[in-house]
Structures are given as structure tokens and as C-alpha cells.
Amino acid sequence: MSQIRSISIVGTGNVAFHLGNALMNAGYPIADLYGRDLTKVSELSETWNCSIAEKLSDLSGDLVIICVNDSSIQQISLEIPSTKAVVHTSGAISMEVLNSHDQFGVFYPLQTISKNRKLDFEEIPILLESNDMDLLNQLDRIAGSLSKKSVIVSGEERKSIHLAAVFVNNFVNHLVLKSKNIMDERNLDWNLLLPLLDETVNKIKELGPLEAQTGPARRNDEKTINEHLVLLSGTDKELYRLLTESIKKTYLE
Amino acid sequence: MSQIRSISIVGTGNVAFHLGNALMNAGYPIADLYGRDLTKVSELSETWNCSIAEKLSDLSGDLVIICVNDSSIQQISLEIPSTKAVVHTSGAISMEVLNSHDQFGVFYPLQTISKNRKLDFEEIPILLESNDMDLLNQLDRIAGSLSKKSVIVSGEERKSIHLAAVFVNNFVNHLVLKSKNIMDERNLDWNLLLPLLDETVNKIKELGPLEAQTGPARRNDEKTINEHLVLLSGTDKELYRLLTESIKKTYLE
């Protein structure tokens, strides 16, 4: 394939928005955009100064980046001419869903992406995969102009990294919500805990999480553990119990 | 009681070390120090240029701060003359364990404290409690010279805050360890996840954890959830399942 100079984007969600902006800033013009939400399509096409594709078969970029829900990727790819190089941006979906195309791959930014947050793409690792060495090299070049870190990984590896990311982001976020609920229910100021959250992360980065562990479970302090369990009920109590057991196991064996 | 000008410290662990340093820097001389680990006692007494107390009854500071394991606080307090004002530094222990004294209280820095990490006490909220209004005012003044934030809370409130802190620090740290194990087991570079960890915290601080939640559980993506469960076993699998259920419940009800 000839060198990728222009890019088509499918989708108008958070990934499309941030990735399109980053590509524009890195000097890759967005050729055109396809999406179902016509208000958003119109907004983004103005921001990117690009055409609006009425059909998926009209897309004209050298590469089509599909930024849609995991469950829609395959169906959408089937409507794009098979001679067009296509990639998706999902951590969880096999690249093989795109295999009706000659050249296909994955361009997965390893980050939690929300529209209303400014994102520094430079700091976001981009995980790459392709069935075609030429496309892979070109994806690597594009990723390198957006981010300081791009890595070629297999589909299995990407799935494992996505799983690890669920622990680091989704589950951590949920535990912090639990702490906020505990404070809110008692009219205590949740902001008191934010310096501790910062230090938790700083300590993890300096010492690693194995060494950074402290607390009642780590020191096998049954008295405090039992006093905490009394304050909890339902799923929160189950979570406390399971996490405490898991910490104990980690250090006692 | 007259104004507290000098402080005695009991204990030579991480809290004693950091709190003693912060007090010295804030202009409160350490009068003397008692501890069982004579090497550490000798080191700290040099750092603080203070005497070493051979017995707990010898301590001469206007206030004695007991920085020892939760389980030793009461026993130690009984050996300190009851006319001496005493406080402990624990999040989990009732101040009433000190009630053999005329004036007693709690001086609890809400932070995870390890010896080898430089700590900025200014950013650490200090939770205060006392049986005596005069002592409470003096603790508040001391806390105010160490930290930007001190709060007077009841014992019940402190226990709840300590519980919330276990979620924010101990449990978050453990989940990050799980993510590291997932990466390490597959020879994948765990550092790839650190930008995500940073963004997780930044997003929590900007949007709050209720709004910041993303991921398969949040969007009820059973296919990805099941694919992740296949990759896990034992306690990790149980943790994934329980956290996923808990996230679903939060947003579906």
C-alpha cells in the first residue's frame, strides 16, 4: 500500500473525538467522517474541516479507523470496501473481526477516555496489531507521531493488558466510590481522603504495589478488621472480606 | 494546663519518625523519646537532639504522643503518670483506652506512612479528639502548624474515616498489585499501565468516582466480562466477579 496520508474516521464518541483531534494535530488530515449521530457528525466535521460520508462505502481516507462500540465493529467493517485498510480501537475485540479486508489491524490507546477531559495523547501507550507488515509499520509511524510509547502486541496480549487495565482503572475507581459513599453517608468530607489517594499512587510508583501495602489485612489485625466489618453490610461487606482475604494470602504464603 | 511547649514521643516506627521530624521543623522541640528498639532510639535521639527516657514514667514533655502498634497503646499509657497529657496516633483505636489520664486524646495523621518516603505533612489532614477542651485547642494549634488541614472528629467518625481510608489506600493498592501480577505472569511491561493509573486518579478528582466509571461492567458488556473471567482463577476471579456485580448494581438501580 502507498503511504497513509489521510484518515477516515467512523464514530463520533469519545475515542473518535480525542483520536481525531490528536491525528489532526500530528499533521494527519481527516478526510471524512461517518457516524449515526448527525448532530455530532456535523460538529466534528466542522472541527476537523472534513467531509461527511453518507455511506460507509464512500469513505475516502487511506486508512479507516473504526471508533465504535465493540459490538458494532464487525458489522460496520463489512460495509467498508474490502480493499480499504481498516483498524479498530478496542482493547477487547479480536482483530479477526475485520478479516474480510485485505489489510486490517488494531490501534488501541490504553487509556480511559471521556469527552470532557483534556487528554495528553503523548502519554498514552498505543497498542498495535495487524495482519500485514506494511500496514503495521505505517500504524507504528502514526502512533509514534501521537505518543511517546507504542507497542506491537498479539491479540492475546492485548486482551490480558485490557484485563489488567480493568483492575487499574474500573475497579480502583469503584473502590474509591465505596470510600466516598462511606464518607457521604456519615456527612464526612470526602476531600479529606484525596491526599491519601495521591500518596497511594505515588507510593505505588516508587515502591511497587507489593512493597507499598499497609493496613489491617497486611498486619493481620483481626480486631480492626472485625470492627470495620461491623460498619459494613451487603456487597460492601463482601468486598471488604474478599479483599482482606486476598491481601492476607499474598503476604502469608 | 499550661501551653504545650515540648513533646515526648513514645515509639520509633514510621509515624514516630515522620511526626517527630515535622514537630521539630514546626518549632516544637522533642523533650525526650522512649522506645524498645535501642538502636532506633539512639538514632532518633541524635536526629532530634533529645534525651532518651529509660522508663515511661521519666518522660518530661508537656504532652506525650504515643506512636506504637494499636495493641500496645493502652498498656503503655498505664505506665505514664496519669497527670501527663497523652494522645495516640491511631485511626482505629478509641481514645478511651487512655482514660486513666486526666487529659487524653487522639492526634491521627490520615496518611499511609512509610519510613523511606519523604512526606509533606502540610498536605496530611490531622484528625483530632480529646476529653478536654483545653487540650483539644492545643492539639488543634499544633496540628495547624504542621498541616493545612486539621479536623475535630468523634471516635465513631474517625473509625469510619479509617474504614474509608482502607478502601482508598489498602484495597486500591492491592488491586494495582493484581494488575501487576496479570502483566508479570505474561511477561508484559507493567509500566504501560501507569499513565492509566494517573489518569484514573485525575479523573476521580475532576469528575468524582460516580461519574468517572467506565468499562465492561459499567456498560454491561457480558461478552468482555466472560472473556476476562476465563483468563482468571481463584481469588482473582472471585474479586473480578464481585467488583463487576457491585459496579452493575451501582448503575442499574
Side-chain angles (χ1 to χ4, degrees):
Chain A
M1 74 191 290
S2 54
Q3 184 164 315
I4 294 170
R5 292 183 196 281
S6 71
I7 290 172
S8 294
I9 294 220
V10 179
T12 56
N14 302 331
V15 174
F17 173 77
H18 284 289
L19 185 55
N21 288 345
L23 287 165
M24 288 283 290
N25 292 336
Y28 289 94
I30 309 300
D32 43 22
L33 167 66
Y34 175 90
R36 280 179 311 181
D37 181 331
L38 297 185
T39 315
K40 286 188 183 169
V41 164
S42 155
E43 271 173 35
L44 283 178
S45 71
E46 272 183 44
T47 309
W48 297 338
N49 193 26
C50 74
S51 320
I52 297 172
E54 299 212 345
K55 301 195 301 292
L56 286 159
S57 55
D58 291 344
L59 290 168
S60 70
D62 300 324
L63 169 72
V64 180
I65 304 185
I66 302 176
C67 314
V68 301
N69 288 338
D70 286 2
S71 56
S72 311
I73 293 171
Q74 185 160 30
Q75 185 52 46
I76 278 175
S77 78
L78 293 173
E79 298 176 38
I80 300 168
S82 65
T83 51
K84 217 28 125 189
V86 297
V87 295
H88 72 63
T89 56
S90 164
I93 297 292
S94 163
M95 79 168 173
E96 294 301 327
V97 302
L98 305 173
N99 69 10
S100 64
H101 289 254
D102 302 335
Q103 295 176 300
F104 54 92
V106 177
F107 192 96
Y108 170 50
L110 180 57
Q111 190 52 280
T112 168
I113 298 183
S114 307
K115 195 146 191 176
N116 295 326
R117 282 205 41 91
K118 202 166 148 37
L119 267 194
D120 187 1
F121 244 87
E122 270 212 353
E123 300 297 329
I124 303 178
I126 299 177
L127 310 189
L128 304 173
E129 189 183 4
S130 176
N131 73 320
D132 180 276
M133 189 52 75
D134 180 20
L135 177 58
L136 191 58
N137 285 332
Q138 298 219 44
L139 293 175
D140 197 35
R141 188 171 47 81
I142 296 170
S145 64
L146 303 186
S147 165
K148 287 190 291 194
K149 185 102 186 168
S150 65
V151 200
I152 296 162
V153 296
S154 72
E156 283 311 304
E157 287 172 330
R158 179 165 41 84
K159 265 183 207 172
S160 297
I161 296 170
H162 184 245
L163 170 62
V166 166
F167 278 85
V168 158
N169 173 267
N170 305 167
F171 291 167
V172 161
N173 184 80
H174 188 62
L175 288 183
V176 175
L177 176 64
K178 293 294 177 195
S179 80
K180 186 167 187 298
N181 291 345
I182 290 168
M183 298 294 274
D184 289 352
E185 280 161 16
R186 292 155 176 93
N187 287 314
L188 293 163
D189 177 11
W190 177 63
N191 291 309
L192 285 174
L193 292 168
L194 293 182
L196 180 59
L197 181 60
D198 279 329
E199 175 66 6
T200 300
V201 169
N202 291 336
K203 227 169 132 176
I204 284 170
K205 289 199 278 191
E206 190 177 313
L207 306 175
L210 189 66
E211 211 196 314
Q213 188 69 55
T214 58
R218 174 73 181 88
R219 61 176 185 267
N220 235 337
D221 174 354
E222 289 299 335
K223 185 165 170 291
T224 301
I225 291 168
N226 288 327
E227 284 177 11
H228 283 168
L229 285 170
V230 169
L231 297 174
L232 296 168
S233 63
T235 310
D236 297 358
K237 193 170 198 151
E238 280 182 76
L239 274 173
Y240 187 103
R241 201 172 264 142
L242 190 56
L243 284 159
T244 293
E245 256 176 55
S246 182
I247 293 170
K248 281 189 193 172
K249 256 193 229 162
T250 304
Y251 295 92
L252 290 182
E253 276 165 10
Chain B
M1 75 190 290
S2 54
Q3 184 165 315
I4 294 170
R5 292 183 195 282
S6 70
I7 290 171
S8 294
I9 296 222
V10 179
T12 56
N14 302 333
V15 174
F17 173 76
H18 284 289
L19 185 55
N21 288 346
L23 287 166
M24 287 284 290
N25 292 337
Y28 290 95
I30 309 299
D32 43 22
L33 166 68
Y34 175 89
R36 282 180 309 184
D37 182 330
L38 297 184
T39 315
K40 285 188 184 167
V41 164
S42 154
E43 272 174 34
L44 284 178
S45 70
E46 271 182 48
T47 309
W48 298 337
N49 193 26
C50 74
S51 319
I52 296 171
E54 299 212 347
K55 302 195 300 291
L56 286 159
S57 54
D58 291 344
L59 291 167
S60 69
D62 300 325
L63 169 72
V64 180
I65 304 185
I66 302 174
C67 315
V68 300
N69 287 339
D70 287 1
S71 56
S72 311
I73 293 171
Q74 185 159 31
Q75 186 51 46
I76 277 174
S77 78
L78 293 172
E79 297 177 38
I80 299 168
S82 64
T83 51
K84 211 42 119 185
V86 296
V87 295
H88 72 62
T89 57
S90 163
I93 297 293
S94 164
M95 80 168 169
E96 295 300 328
V97 302
L98 304 174
N99 69 10
S100 64
H101 289 254
D102 302 334
Q103 295 176 300
F104 55 93
V106 177
F107 193 97
Y108 169 50
L110 180 58
Q111 190 52 280
T112 167
I113 298 183
S114 308
K115 195 145 191 176
N116 294 327
R117 283 207 37 93
K118 206 167 147 32
L119 267 194
D120 187 0
F121 244 87
E122 271 213 351
E123 300 298 330
I124 303 178
I126 299 178
L127 310 189
L128 304 174
E129 190 183 5
S130 176
N131 73 320
D132 180 275
M133 190 51 77
D134 180 21
L135 177 58
L136 191 58
N137 285 333
Q138 298 218 44
L139 294 175
D140 196 36
R141 189 170 47 79
I142 296 170
S145 65
L146 302 187
S147 165
K148 287 191 289 194
K149 185 102 187 166
S150 65
V151 201
I152 295 162
V153 296
S154 72
E156 284 310 306
E157 287 172 330
R158 179 164 42 84
K159 265 182 207 172
S160 297
I161 296 169
H162 184 245
L163 171 62
V166 165
F167 278 85
V168 159
N169 173 265
N170 303 166
F171 292 167
V172 162
N173 184 81
H174 189 61
L175 289 183
V176 175
L177 176 65
K178 292 294 178 196
S179 80
K180 186 166 187 298
N181 291 345
I182 291 168
M183 299 293 275
D184 288 352
E185 280 161 17
R186 292 155 176 94
N187 286 316
L188 294 163
D189 177 10
W190 177 63
N191 291 309
L192 285 174
L193 292 168
L194 293 182
L196 180 59
L197 181 60
D198 280 329
E199 175 66 5
T200 301
V201 169
N202 291 336
K203 227 171 133 175
I204 284 171
K205 290 198 278 190
E206 190 177 311
L207 306 175
L210 189 66
E211 209 194 318
Q213 188 69 55
T214 58
R218 174 72 182 90
R219 60 175 186 268
N220 234 339
D221 175 354
E222 289 299 334
K223 185 166 170 292
T224 301
I225 290 168
N226 288 328
E227 283 177 10
H228 283 168
L229 285 170
V230 168
L231 297 173
L232 296 168
S233 63
T235 310
D236 297 358
K237 193 170 199 153
E238 280 182 75
L239 273 173
Y240 187 102
R241 201 173 263 142
L242 190 56
L243 284 159
T244 293
E245 258 177 53
S246 182
I247 293 171
K248 282 190 193 169
K249 258 194 227 165
T250 304
Y251 295 91
L252 290 182
E253 277 166 12

CSV table of all heavy atoms in Angstrom, one decimal, chain A residues 91-94 154-164, chain B residues 227-228 231:
chain,number,residue,atom,x,y,z
A,91,GLY,N,-9.8,-2.6,23.1
A,91,GLY,CA,-8.9,-3.4,23.8
A,91,GLY,C,-9.3,-4.9,23.8
A,91,GLY,O,-8.5,-5.8,24.0
A,92,ALA,N,-10.6,-5.1,23.7
A,92,ALA,CA,-11.2,-6.4,23.9
A,92,ALA,C,-11.5,-7.2,22.7
A,92,ALA,O,-11.7,-8.4,22.8
A,92,ALA,CB,-12.5,-6.2,24.8
A,93,ILE,N,-11.6,-6.6,21.5
A,93,ILE,CA,-12.1,-7.3,20.4
A,93,ILE,C,-10.9,-7.8,19.5
A,93,ILE,O,-10.0,-7.1,19.2
A,93,ILE,CB,-13.0,-6.4,19.5
A,93,ILE,CG1,-14.2,-6.0,20.4
A,93,ILE,CG2,-13.4,-7.0,18.2
A,93,ILE,CD1,-15.2,-7.1,20.7
A,94,SER,N,-11.0,-9.1,19.1
A,94,SER,CA,-10.0,-9.7,18.2
A,94,SER,C,-9.9,-8.9,16.9
A,94,SER,O,-10.9,-8.4,16.4
A,94,SER,CB,-10.4,-11.1,17.9
A,94,SER,OG,-9.7,-11.6,16.8
A,154,SER,N,0.3,-9.1,20.5
A,154,SER,CA,-0.6,-10.0,19.9
A,154,SER,C,-2.0,-9.7,20.5
A,154,SER,O,-2.2,-9.0,21.5
A,154,SER,CB,-0.2,-11.4,20.3
A,154,SER,OG,-0.4,-11.7,21.6
A,155,GLY,N,-3.0,-10.3,19.8
A,155,GLY,CA,-4.4,-10.2,20.3
A,155,GLY,C,-4.5,-10.7,21.7
A,155,GLY,O,-5.2,-10.1,22.6
A,156,GLU,N,-3.9,-11.8,22.0
A,156,GLU,CA,-4.0,-12.4,23.4
A,156,GLU,C,-3.4,-11.5,24.4
A,156,GLU,O,-3.9,-11.3,25.5
A,156,GLU,CB,-3.3,-13.8,23.4
A,156,GLU,CG,-4.0,-14.9,22.8
A,156,GLU,CD,-5.5,-15.0,23.3
A,156,GLU,OE1,-5.7,-15.1,24.6
A,156,GLU,OE2,-6.4,-15.0,22.5
A,157,GLU,N,-2.2,-10.9,24.0
A,157,GLU,CA,-1.6,-10.0,24.9
A,157,GLU,C,-2.4,-8.7,25.2
A,157,GLU,O,-2.6,-8.3,26.3
A,157,GLU,CB,-0.2,-9.6,24.4
A,157,GLU,CG,0.8,-10.7,24.5
A,157,GLU,CD,2.1,-10.4,23.7
A,157,GLU,OE1,2.1,-9.6,22.7
A,157,GLU,OE2,3.2,-10.9,24.2
A,158,ARG,N,-3.0,-8.2,24.1
A,158,ARG,CA,-3.9,-7.0,24.2
A,158,ARG,C,-5.0,-7.3,25.2
A,158,ARG,O,-5.4,-6.5,26.0
A,158,ARG,CB,-4.3,-6.6,22.9
A,158,ARG,CG,-5.3,-5.4,22.9
A,158,ARG,CD,-5.4,-4.7,21.5
A,158,ARG,NE,-5.6,-5.7,20.5
A,158,ARG,CZ,-6.7,-6.3,20.1
A,158,ARG,NH1,-7.8,-6.0,20.7
A,158,ARG,NH2,-6.7,-7.2,19.2
A,159,LYS,N,-5.6,-8.5,25.1
A,159,LYS,CA,-6.7,-8.9,26.0
A,159,LYS,C,-6.3,-8.9,27.4
A,159,LYS,O,-7.0,-8.5,28.3
A,159,LYS,CB,-7.3,-10.2,25.6
A,159,LYS,CG,-8.5,-10.1,24.6
A,159,LYS,CD,-9.1,-11.4,24.3
A,159,LYS,CE,-9.8,-11.2,22.9
A,159,LYS,NZ,-10.3,-12.5,22.4
A,160,SER,N,-5.1,-9.5,27.7
A,160,SER,CA,-4.6,-9.5,29.0
A,160,SER,C,-4.3,-8.1,29.6
A,160,SER,O,-4.6,-7.8,30.7
A,160,SER,CB,-3.3,-10.3,29.1
A,160,SER,OG,-3.6,-11.7,28.7
A,161,ILE,N,-3.8,-7.2,28.7
A,161,ILE,CA,-3.5,-5.9,29.1
A,161,ILE,C,-4.8,-5.1,29.4
A,161,ILE,O,-4.9,-4.4,30.4
A,161,ILE,CB,-2.7,-5.1,28.0
A,161,ILE,CG1,-1.3,-5.8,27.9
A,161,ILE,CG2,-2.5,-3.6,28.4
A,161,ILE,CD1,-0.5,-5.3,26.7
A,162,HIS,N,-5.8,-5.4,28.6
A,162,HIS,CA,-7.1,-4.8,28.8
A,162,HIS,C,-7.7,-5.3,30.1
A,162,HIS,O,-8.3,-4.5,30.9
A,162,HIS,CB,-8.1,-5.2,27.7
A,162,HIS,CG,-9.4,-4.5,27.8
A,162,HIS,ND1,-10.6,-5.3,27.9
A,162,HIS,CD2,-9.8,-3.2,27.7
A,162,HIS,CE1,-11.6,-4.4,28.0
A,162,HIS,NE2,-11.1,-3.2,27.9
A,163,LEU,N,-7.5,-6.6,30.4
A,163,LEU,CA,-8.0,-7.1,31.7
A,163,LEU,C,-7.2,-6.4,32.9
A,163,LEU,O,-7.9,-6.0,33.9
A,163,LEU,CB,-7.7,-8.6,31.8
A,163,LEU,CG,-7.9,-9.3,33.1
A,163,LEU,CD1,-9.3,-9.2,33.6
A,163,LEU,CD2,-7.5,-10.8,33.1
A,164,ALA,N,-5.9,-6.3,32.8
A,164,ALA,CA,-5.2,-5.6,33.8
A,164,ALA,C,-5.6,-4.1,33.9
A,164,ALA,O,-5.7,-3.6,35.0
A,164,ALA,CB,-3.7,-5.6,33.5
B,227,GLU,N,-15.1,-13.1,28.8
B,227,GLU,CA,-13.7,-13.4,28.3
B,227,GLU,C,-12.6,-13.1,29.3
B,227,GLU,O,-11.6,-13.8,29.4
B,227,GLU,CB,-13.4,-12.5,27.0
B,227,GLU,CG,-14.1,-13.1,25.8
B,227,GLU,CD,-13.9,-12.2,24.6
B,227,GLU,OE1,-13.1,-11.3,24.6
B,227,GLU,OE2,-14.6,-12.5,23.5
B,228,HIS,N,-12.9,-12.1,30.1
B,228,HIS,CA,-11.9,-11.8,31.2
B,228,HIS,C,-12.0,-12.9,32.3
B,228,HIS,O,-10.9,-13.3,32.8
B,228,HIS,CB,-12.3,-10.4,31.9
B,228,HIS,CG,-11.8,-9.2,31.0
B,228,HIS,ND1,-12.2,-7.9,31.3
B,228,HIS,CD2,-11.0,-9.2,30.0
B,228,HIS,CE1,-11.7,-7.1,30.4
B,228,HIS,NE2,-10.9,-7.8,29.6
B,231,LEU,N,-9.8,-15.8,31.8
B,231,LEU,CA,-8.3,-15.5,32.0
B,231,LEU,C,-7.9,-15.6,33.5
B,231,LEU,O,-6.8,-15.5,33.8
B,231,LEU,CB,-7.9,-14.2,31.4
B,231,LEU,CG,-8.1,-14.0,29.9
B,231,LEU,CD1,-7.8,-12.5,29.5
B,231,LEU,CD2,-7.2,-14.9,29.1
